[in-house]
Amino acid sequence: PSMYLRYVCIYLIVLSFHSFLLSYSVISFFYILLPRLPFIYFFFFFLMIRRPPRSTLSSSSAASDVYKRQLQMSDSMEALSDSLFAGKVPGSWAKLAFASMKPLAGWMDNLMQRLKQIQDWAVDLGMPKVAWISGFFNPQSFLTAILQSQARNNEWPLDKVVVACEVTKKTAGEIADHAPGGSYTDGFTMEGARWDTGLGCVGPSLPKEMFCPMPVVLIKAVTVDKAEFKDCFMCPVYKIQSRGASYVFQANLKTRQPAADWVMGGVALLMDIVL
């Protein structure tokens, strides 16, 4: 009996030690991920976008059956076929997809770039050095993640922080490390004016220039009492060229001219353009 009791004690000690190691590993795991939680939430929200109905997922196979004369063509399949033949994004796809005015070929290229960004991000759920903000289905959620992350790190009230932008002089390939606060972003294009890299401010467009690609922009959070956007043009940011309901946020851009000049000129930053 004493031998059995010894074995039971050893088993309980080993089991307790195993439970301790498991608890310690779980706590350490969440402690490491804690600073990234807002961006991890955004990532999973990005993946939980509306799931396409089965009719949309099977549209290509159904079209194949039609051409093989194994299935009768319906009105929706005829509309799909006409859109593909004309090089347009089918309406059934556009209802579930990201906002875009691109034709089918450009839309598909854009879709593949978005998928690649998700695949790269899914490796370790770590923030990329430069986030291609134009490739997000809902950029507003990414901005909210930036606000939440910095508010938590600096112990700021979330309702007392706003978005602030700093335009760098670098391209995405020239960024060597992560931003000390906030996130480096890429994918903005200015319409109606241009960004003068030498002067570091908004300037008039060059002749025959409709769009001006922006350098990397640092988006960060600042407290309301320090948000003094002096000599700045509060530039509206839109997802697509038609603007309208695709508004995202306002970016504070340095200017040497009165901000009213750019307002009258309809200057804006766009995330998706059709050349």
Side-chain angles (χ1 to χ4, degrees), residues 73-113:
M73 178 174 284
S74 62
D75 294 339
S76 60
M77 294 172 61
E78 184 175 0
L80 172 67
S81 177
D82 292 342
S83 297
L84 296 178
F85 182 78
K88 299 179 180 179
V89 180
S92 57
W93 296 4
K95 290 180 181 178
L96 303 171
F98 48 89
S100 178
M101 298 178 63
K102 294 179 180 292
L104 183 60
W107 186 87
M108 287 298 299
D109 290 340
N110 190 267
L111 175 62
M112 297 307 297
Q113 293 173 5

Side-chain angles (χ1 to χ4, degrees), residues 153-196:
N153 293 339
N154 296 283
E155 298 182 354
W156 294 335
L158 188 57
D159 59 343
K160 300 295 182 181
V161 294
V162 294
V163 174
C165 299
E166 291 184 12
V167 183
T168 69
K169 295 185 178 181
K170 298 181 179 181
T171 61
E174 297 173 342
I175 300 297
D177 203 357
H178 293 82
S183 174
Y184 289 121
T185 57
D186 188 29
F188 296 109
T189 302
M190 183 174 290
E191 182 183 27
R194 71 184 178 94
W195 181 258
D196 193 323

Side-chain angles (χ1 to χ4, degrees), residues 11-23:
Y11 174 76
L12 291 176
I13 293 173
V14 172
L15 184 62
S16 301
F17 184 69
H18 181 269
S19 300
F20 169 77
L21 289 180
L22 181 61
S23 302

Side-chain angles (χ1 to χ4, degrees), residues 3 14 54 89 110 121 131 153 174 188 218 233 238 249 261 272:
M3 184 178 298
V14 172
R54 184 167 306 193
V89 180
N110 190 267
W121 198 350
N153 293 339
E174 297 173 342
F188 296 109
L218 171 61
F233 162 53
Y238 298 92
F249 75 108
D261 293 351
D272 183 83

Side-chain angles (χ1 to χ4, degrees), residues 63-76:
S64 177
D65 293 338
V66 169
Y67 292 127
K68 294 178 182 179
R69 298 183 180 180
Q70 297 176 356
L71 184 67
Q72 185 176 0
M73 178 174 284
S74 62
D75 294 339
S76 60

